[in-house]
Amino acid sequence: MTDVLGYRAKFGVLGPSTNTTVQPEMEAMRPAGVTNHYSRIIVDNAQAISDETFLQGTQLIDQGTVDAVKGVMTCEPDYLVMGMSAITFYGGAKGAETWQKNINEVSGVQSSIGSVSVVEAMKAIGGIKKVAFLSPYYPVANNEVRNFLSDYGIEAVADHPFRAPTWTAIAEISNHQVREVVKQMDDDSVDAILQVGTNLSMAKLAATLELEMGKPVIAINTATYWHALRTFGITDKISGYGRLLEEY
């Protein structure tokens, strides 16, 4: 028997309970016949005022992920889309592999995670060796992103941590703030702009900036959802979210 609405795929989409961006952005990118079933990783609205408290907060998200996975699996999704990103960069390529393997074993299905998805997005577009990236994180987590990218031969020539003071404050970072940071980081040495941090809303803005700048601008929610669709064999071209979903 086939699900009436999710007749092509049922995706379990996971994100921290404080995250107000993943669910609407990924729902907007959803093609016909695919359904998203959101599961919240229960966490408090952490006060991140230093590198140490930021790391502690992301570790709490990590600890709650398995319960959220078990919860969403009761609707028998075909695939998981992991809408939290910081923890998927920790420990470089090996750390991401271990983390994802655990999720896949717990769930019994395959998954897309942010760190791997942005690398696969850059591979698909091609010609990307140097990036500038922005995040809502603290510097300690940006260092993890930088190290992860280096494992794939991608050099981060510039980065900007917004140092959001709480998890919900990430979603309050404005398009104007993002534009100003991108403008400061970009130069001729940068092949692409990358955004990480799934509660930082940039899916639509990235598409606009890409047209204005004439180079790839990759938003992590777009990359992760794109990776899930393509890995699951769904090749629909979706407009409004940049070249990644429109061309690859």
Side-chain angles (χ1 to χ4, degrees):
M1 301 294 289
T2 302
D3 190 278
V4 172
L5 297 180
Y7 53 87
R8 298 169 76 191
K10 293 187 294 184
F11 283 173
V13 178
L14 289 90
S17 57
T18 51
N19 189 310
T20 55
T21 299
V22 166
Q23 186 173 7
E25 286 196 340
M26 291 190 180
E27 186 65 15
M29 292 182 272
R30 180 180 60 83
V34 177
T35 51
N36 296 337
H37 306 280
Y38 197 76
S39 183
R40 297 187 178 277
I41 303 164
I42 304 301
V43 291
D44 291 331
N45 187 24
Q47 303 291 315
I49 58 174
S50 67
D51 281 338
E52 291 74 19
T53 56
F54 183 89
L55 279 179
Q56 290 168 6
T58 57
Q59 287 161 358
L60 289 174
I61 294 172
D62 188 15
Q63 291 168 17
T65 299
V66 167
D67 284 343
V69 168
K70 290 178 179 178
V72 80
M73 289 310 299
T74 60
C75 76
E76 299 185 355
D78 303 298
Y79 195 89
L80 296 183
V81 189
M82 307 306 289
M84 79 296 290
S85 63
I87 56 178
T88 72
F89 289 100
Y90 292 178
K94 183 63 177 176
E97 179 185 359
T98 300
W99 192 88
Q100 186 174 28
K101 181 180 179 182
N102 179 58
I103 293 300
N104 293 352
E105 288 177 350
V106 167
S107 66
V109 299
Q110 297 300 299
S111 63
S112 289
I113 65 174
S115 56
V116 172
S117 295
V118 296
V119 168
E120 291 303 315
M122 286 186 273
K123 288 180 181 178
I125 294 168
I128 300 174
K129 294 296 183 183
K130 295 184 178 182
V131 301
F133 74 90
L134 63 151
S135 81
Y137 306 156
Y138 275 70
V140 65
N142 270 28
N143 288 339
E144 294 286 349
V145 175
R146 183 184 297 274
N147 291 338
F148 176 88
L149 294 174
S150 70
D151 283 350
Y152 290 90
I154 300 164
E155 179 185 356
V157 298
D159 71 283
H160 179 87
F162 271 106
R163 296 178 171 89
T166 66
W167 294 152
T168 55
I170 295 171
E172 297 165 2
I173 297 170
S174 69
N175 284 354
H176 174 73
Q177 289 173 283
V178 170
R179 277 184 170 276
E180 288 300 306
V181 166
V182 170
K183 184 166 60 176
Q184 292 167 14
M185 291 194 304
D186 184 43
D187 60 39
D188 291 341
S189 71
V190 174
D191 300 320
I193 301 294
L194 170 65
Q195 171 258 321
V196 300
T198 61
N199 203 24
L200 176 57
S201 178
M202 200 171 157
K204 284 282 191 182
L205 178 60
T208 301
L209 290 172
E210 198 168 60
L211 290 173
E212 294 174 358
M213 299 170 65
K215 65 178 60 177
V217 180
I218 301 169
I220 195 163
N221 288 340
T222 304
T224 308
Y225 203 75
W226 164 85
H227 186 264
L229 290 172
R230 300 302 182 254
T231 303
F232 200 74
I234 296 170
T235 58
D236 298 41
K237 303 301 191 289
I238 299 165
S239 62
Y241 296 93
R243 291 180 58 205
L244 191 61
L245 275 171
E246 290 176 354
E247 299 179 21
Y248 302 97

